[in-house]
Amino acid sequence: MTKAVSFKSRMASVLRRFPFIPALGMLVLLFILNGIAEPNSMTIRALKGVASTYLALVFLSVGQTFVVYTADIDLSVGAILSLVNVSMVVIMSQFGGEPYAVLLALGAGIMIGALCGLMNGIVVSGLRMQAIVATFATSILISGIALWVLPVAGLPAPSLFWKIYGGRSYGIPNVFFFIAILIVLLAFMAKTGLVTKLLAVGNGQLSAYQSGLPVTRIRIYGYIICGIFSALAAFCITGDTASGDPLVGGAMTLSSVAAVVLGGTALSGGIGSAFGSALGAIIIGLISSLVFYAGIPSQWQNLAQGATILLVLMLGVLTSRRINQ
């Protein structure tokens, strides 16, 4: 009995330190199931296709994580993605799609994402509004601006932009280099004190304030980081679709929240992993692939995908709860 309790205690300690472990197990299982359903899904070409399609959701989920760390939420991430997408495409089209125009569009996209994040941070943290209500309102505002910038979807992005995203370097698909850059970026951010401060605020704002942490400023930083990662997600979606669409990010907002939960981050704040959220986004992508490979009729695919995601969420939550009891 003592050994069982000791083992469970060690497992709980490991899970608190690495909350993405259940997600990692789910990811391996889904890779196996996809391979069984369609052996060709394990080829480099197929994996590159999955990575290209879902890398935007990966970045969006990672950005959402930095807000959830503090027990907040951002329902405007999809709208920010859409605004950056159309703004970049319009800028590149206006300047002829030359290399300097691409760089200008990338810089403008990062700036737009950061400003949207700053606005959300001020509204939620500075004005002390409920995050779920405030960011829902700002999502409508930002979506309206995106429709003003580009009222009709379909404006093509310059070939230089999408060829870089979908191309190869040294025989390796560029999308894999972008994933490597994301891993390095997350490792670097984990070494800074900001993640620790965000988690401390999520554990208890009053305790964080009493310990001398600038709670309001830290929460604003979380939203700014989320806005920047939403802009990076827009880079990916623009490279993948090669066009501008003012509504492209609408359906991705709730998927980013689901990916955060799948990755082991608690919506109540104080515990989680951005790496786990990235795994959660890939899990959602692999579930979509599995539903397709299983030959489920198109009219039932959304139902099957939603039910599978719900089942995986339940298994992850129940596993974590059982270990922590």
Side-chain angles (χ1 to χ4, degrees), residues 10 17-18 22 39 60 64 102 110 126 164 185 189 194 233 242-243 255 264 292 298:
R10 287 198 299 270
R17 186 175 180 184
F18 305 105
L60 207 63
Q64 184 78 253
V102 172
I110 292 291
I164 292 175
L185 181 60
M189 294 183 72
L194 180 59
S243 64
S255 293
F292 175 77
S298 58

Side-chain angles (χ1 to χ4, degrees), residues 33-35 37-38 40-41 46 50 286 288-296:
L33 292 176
N34 272 268
E38 175 53 67
N40 290 330
S41 66
V50 172
L286 290 177
S288 300
S289 299
L290 182 60
V291 168
F292 175 77
Y293 293 141
I296 296 174

Side-chain angles (χ1 to χ4, degrees), residues 222-271:
Y223 276 104
I224 292 174
I225 294 172
C226 184
I228 292 173
F229 271 93
S230 299
L232 296 175
F235 297 171
C236 299
I237 206 73
T238 306
D240 186 52
T241 63
S243 64
D245 184 349
L247 303 176
V248 69
M252 298 177 69
T253 298
L254 295 183
S255 293
S256 72
V257 177
V260 168
V261 178
L262 280 171
T265 298
L267 292 179
S268 56
I271 184 171

Side-chain angles (χ1 to χ4, degrees), residues 122-176:
I122 291 174
V123 170
V124 173
S125 183
L127 301 181
R128 300 178 184 275
M129 294 182 64
Q130 289 186 341
I132 193 169
V133 176
T135 57
F136 176 71
T138 58
S139 72
I140 298 173
L141 171 64
I142 295 168
S143 294
I145 297 173
L147 284 166
W148 174 73
V149 173
L150 186 66
V152 180
L155 182 65
S159 60
L160 175 63
F161 188 90
W162 56 262
K163 282 183 178 179
I164 292 175
Y165 183 78
R168 290 173 175 263
S169 298
Y170 308 104
I172 302 173
N174 288 338
V175 67
F176 292 147

Side-chain angles (χ1 to χ4, degrees), residues 292-306:
F292 175 77
Y293 293 141
I296 296 174
S298 58
Q299 65 267 28
W300 295 102
Q301 286 185 6
N302 284 341
L303 175 61
Q305 181 182 347

